[in-house]
């Protein structure tokens, strides 16, 4: 018979910080957990077939997978509202200023080092946050030292990973455009199929999505480039493609984080060691 203490214990595979008790987090850090994963997201329109929570639901799921993939990590609560001014032409979209998003990342990370964490990995389930992260990266790295801050900023790599996953799984890579498309619709079918309005699928903008096009989206708004609010085509979406997309992006971010943390560890080992108070013959005041 299971005792109350056993039945109330957290699952051994739980990596979401907010689902753990303070004591459980303390034990996790003592046993070797050193990395916090911070997922960013958005609450914005995703066509007529996906809910505004698409990016936040996506970030929630990726954070769990990334933390598990890293092995020494816990996932922080998702910052659900992000930088989405280019979607404000559609009802319901929420947006915060770029400087607000940067400040939230700073505030999330400020006390992690003193609690025992040594690394902070920041990524976004909303591609529109990546330009903000690119501009904020160096400031966050400097402000949060000695915490090692790893900021994933390559939105193009995510789009390419989605395209490869969709092509390898169903030969539908050409339907990935980056917003409410085959990839995102498939991800939602894998995570929360009941939230997908399948009868409302519409083909969106299917032309070239490059830096010039994205600049127009950011400057002039999504509606000016795609009246449906969709980049790509959701038709053909499936949970199988969604799982492949989730796995591909998880692998991408885990590999990036591991590489950067190894570089940082090497830098620390190569840096001159500060003598202790005993070695220097003095004491700290």
């Amino acid at each position: 018979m299971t005792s109350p203490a056993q039945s109330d214990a957290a699952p051994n595979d739980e990596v979401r910080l907010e689902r753990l008790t303070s004591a459980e987090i303390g034990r996790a850090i003592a046993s070797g957990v050193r990395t916090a994963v911070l997922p960013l997201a958005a609450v914005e329109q995703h066509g007529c077939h996906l809910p505004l929570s698409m990016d936040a639901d996506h970030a929630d799921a990726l954070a769990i997978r990334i933390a598990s993939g890293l092995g020494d990590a816990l996932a922080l609560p998702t910052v659900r509202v992000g930088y989405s001014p280019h979607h404000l032409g559609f009802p319901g979209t929420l947006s915060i200023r770029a400087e607000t998003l940067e400040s939230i990342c700073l505030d999330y990370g400020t006390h992690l080092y003193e609690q025992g964490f040594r690394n902070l990995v920041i990524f976004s389930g909303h591609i529109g946050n990546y330009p903000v992260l690119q501009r904020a990266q160096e400031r966050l790295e400097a402000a949060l030292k000695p915490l090692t801050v790893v900021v994933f900023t390559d939105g193009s790599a995510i789009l390419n990973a989605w395209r490869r996953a969709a092509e390898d799984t169903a030969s539908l890579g050409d339907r990935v455009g980056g917003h409410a498309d085959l990839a995102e619709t498939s991800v939602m079918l894998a995570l929360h199929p009941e939230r997908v309005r399948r009868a409302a699928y519409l083909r969106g903008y299917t032309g070239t999505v490059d830096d010039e096009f994205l600049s127009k989206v950011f400057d002039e708004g999504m509606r000016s480039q795609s009246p449906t609010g969709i980049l790509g085509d959701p038709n053909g979406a499936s949970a199988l493609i969604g799982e492949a997309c989730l796995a591909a992006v998880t692998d991408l971010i885990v590999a990036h984080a591991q590489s950067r943390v190894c570089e940082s560890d090497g830098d620390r080992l190569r840096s001159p060691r500060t003598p202790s108070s005993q070695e220097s013959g003095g004491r700290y005041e």
Side-chain angles (χ1 to χ4, degrees):
M1 182 175 178
T2 303
S3 68
Q6 290 174 322
S7 63
D8 289 344
N12 291 332
D13 59 352
E14 180 59 76
V15 297
R16 291 166 291 186
L17 180 137
E18 63 187 326
R19 299 289 181 93
L20 299 172
T21 68
S22 180
E24 288 164 349
I25 294 165
R27 288 194 293 271
I29 293 171
S31 67
V33 167
R34 291 291 179 269
T35 302
V37 177
L38 175 55
L40 309 183
V43 176
E44 63 181 27
Q45 72 82 25
H46 277 79
C48 294
H49 64 288
L50 293 177
L52 273 68
S53 67
M54 171 67 228
D55 291 342
D57 294 336
H58 186 199
D60 286 342
L62 282 175
I64 293 170
R65 287 164 167 79
I66 292 165
S68 298
L70 290 170
D72 69 339
L74 294 177
L76 303 179
T78 297
V79 180
R80 301 188 72 78
V81 180
Y83 183 73
S84 304
H86 46 297
H87 290 284
L88 288 172
F90 296 87
T93 294
L94 303 177
S95 183
I96 59 177
R97 293 169 295 166
E99 56 267 32
T100 301
L101 185 60
E102 181 177 343
S103 294
I104 291 172
C105 292
L106 178 61
D107 287 350
Y108 264 62
T110 294
H111 300 289
L112 291 176
Y113 192 89
E114 65 192 50
Q115 293 182 3
F117 291 96
R118 293 297 176 260
N119 312 301
L120 174 62
V121 176
I122 304 174
F123 78 95
S124 178
H126 165 49
I127 290 176
N129 285 332
Y130 282 119
V132 177
L133 289 176
Q134 289 166 2
R135 294 190 294 270
Q137 181 174 359
E138 289 186 2
R139 291 190 294 269
L140 290 171
E141 290 172 349
L144 291 172
K145 284 183 178 180
L147 188 72
T148 295
V149 180
V150 178
V151 186
F152 185 86
T153 62
D154 196 346
S156 295
I158 289 180
L159 286 175
N160 289 333
W162 283 349
R163 290 189 182 105
R164 287 193 298 271
E167 188 64 26
D168 292 347
T169 304
S171 299
L172 294 175
D174 60 341
R175 298 189 184 182
V176 175
H179 192 74
D181 57 354
L182 179 96
E184 288 200 318
T185 304
S186 294
V187 166
M188 188 59 88
L189 286 172
L191 298 176
H192 303 290
E194 74 283 359
R195 300 179 188 177
V196 180
R197 285 70 163 172
R198 303 182 197 215
Y201 286 179
L202 289 174
R203 183 184 182 193
Y205 171 85
T206 55
T208 301
V209 177
D210 54 16
D211 289 342
E212 181 180 357
F213 175 80
L214 291 175
S215 292
K216 290 181 180 179
V217 170
F218 281 110
D219 293 342
E220 302 172 21
M222 176 66 80
R223 189 181 286 278
S224 69
Q225 306 302 314
S226 175
T228 63
I230 298 169
L231 302 180
D233 186 349
N235 288 286
S238 70
L240 186 64
I241 297 173
E243 289 292 349
C245 289
L246 285 164
V249 174
T250 297
D251 289 346
L252 184 68
I253 297 175
V254 167
H256 175 78
Q258 288 174 332
S259 173
R260 289 294 309 281
V261 168
C262 285
E263 288 176 9
S264 177
D265 287 346
D267 289 343
R268 277 198 288 261
L269 288 172
R270 288 189 294 270
S271 63
R273 188 166 62 94
T274 302
S276 68
S277 59
Q278 290 180 338
E279 291 170 331
S280 63
R283 62 187 179 88
Y284 294 120
E285 299 294 341

